[in-house]
């Protein structure tokens, strides 16, 4: 009875760490980004994207419809701050969620929670990632789509549950509504899946 109780306690502790590490990672990243958030319009495509999201318009090709729709909704939900600041905050929120999911991906590869946390925070604090998480740009949404795709693919790798694959395909489709470079990521993940399970080629519906 004692050993069963101890095992159950260890299982609960492991489950708590599995949830806590991604939440802490995302929370720390969000605090960092909010503290360093650009207060208004910046360079690059910031002004054009903010205007498009505010008016539910269409920015330059490929138009980024997913980003425009989501950011436009975010601008209307957040009750404080000017429009540019809220659009910058949208990038921060997406960037923080993405690194939280990335932390979980590393954990699923049997890496200890603290190491997974440190790895994801290293990405969060990288110069390019950080710079795109504090201004209005489409790349943190791209990072979020990538992290979800990676999470689903690793979940498939651990379980070999083919029911996961249509969900991954759906996320990929949404990603293509944001930035077409996600196709390169999807191609790499598809090759990995087929290398591990070539029998999937005989399943046309998959």
């Amino acid at each position: 009875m004692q050993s069963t109780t101890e095992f159950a306690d260890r299982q609960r502790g492991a489950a708590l760490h599995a949830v806590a590490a991604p939440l802490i990672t995302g929370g720390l990243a969000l605090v960092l980004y909010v503290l360093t958030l650009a207060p208004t319009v910046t360079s690059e495509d910031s002004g054009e994207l903010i205007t498009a999201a505010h008016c539910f318009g269409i920015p330059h090709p490929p138009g980024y419809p997913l980003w425009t729709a989501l950011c436009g909704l975010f601008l209307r939900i957040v009750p404080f701050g000017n429009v540019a600041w809220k659009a910058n905050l949208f990038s921060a929120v997406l960037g923080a969620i993405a690194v939280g999911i990335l932390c979980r991906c590393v954990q699923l590869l049997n890496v200890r929670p603290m190491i997974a946390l440190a790895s994801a925070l290293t990405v969060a604090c990288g110069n390019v990632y950080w710079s795109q998480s504090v201004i209005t740009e489409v790349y943190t949404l791209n990072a979020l789509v990538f992290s979800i795709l990676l999470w689903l693919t690793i979940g498939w790798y651990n379980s070999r549950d083919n029911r996961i694959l249509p969900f991954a395909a759906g996320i990929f489709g949404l990603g293509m509504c944001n930035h077409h470079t996600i196709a390169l990521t999807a191609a790499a993940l598809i090759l990995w899946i087929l290398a591990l399970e070539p029998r999937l080629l005989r399943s046309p519906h998959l």
Side-chain angles (χ1 to χ4, degrees), residues 172-184:
F172 166 67
L174 288 173
M176 286 293 286
C177 293
N178 179 55
H179 204 289
H180 294 163
T181 55
I182 200 70
L184 301 175

Side-chain angles (χ1 to χ4, degrees), residues 16-117:
L16 181 61
H17 288 153
V19 174
L23 289 177
I24 292 170
T25 303
L28 289 174
L30 183 60
V31 169
L32 176 66
Y33 298 153
V34 170
L35 290 175
T36 57
L37 199 66
T40 186
V41 181
T42 63
S43 57
E44 300 183 35
D45 302 320
S46 172
E48 177 194 6
L49 291 171
I50 292 168
T51 303
H54 181 60
C55 302
F56 284 120
I58 303 173
H60 64 273
Y64 313 110
L66 180 64
W67 182 91
T68 304
L70 292 178
C71 187
L73 290 173
F74 186 85
L75 295 180
R76 287 155 177 80
I77 291 170
V78 177
F80 50 84
N82 62 63
V83 172
W85 184 88
K86 288 191 284 189
N88 296 338
L89 180 64
F90 182 64
S91 293
V93 170
L94 295 183
I97 295 172
V99 294
I101 295 174
L102 183 61
C103 175
R104 182 59 185 153
C105 291
V106 178
Q107 283 182 286
L108 291 175
L109 296 173
N110 295 320
V111 174
R112 285 182 295 176
M114 288 305 297
I115 296 176
L117 187 152

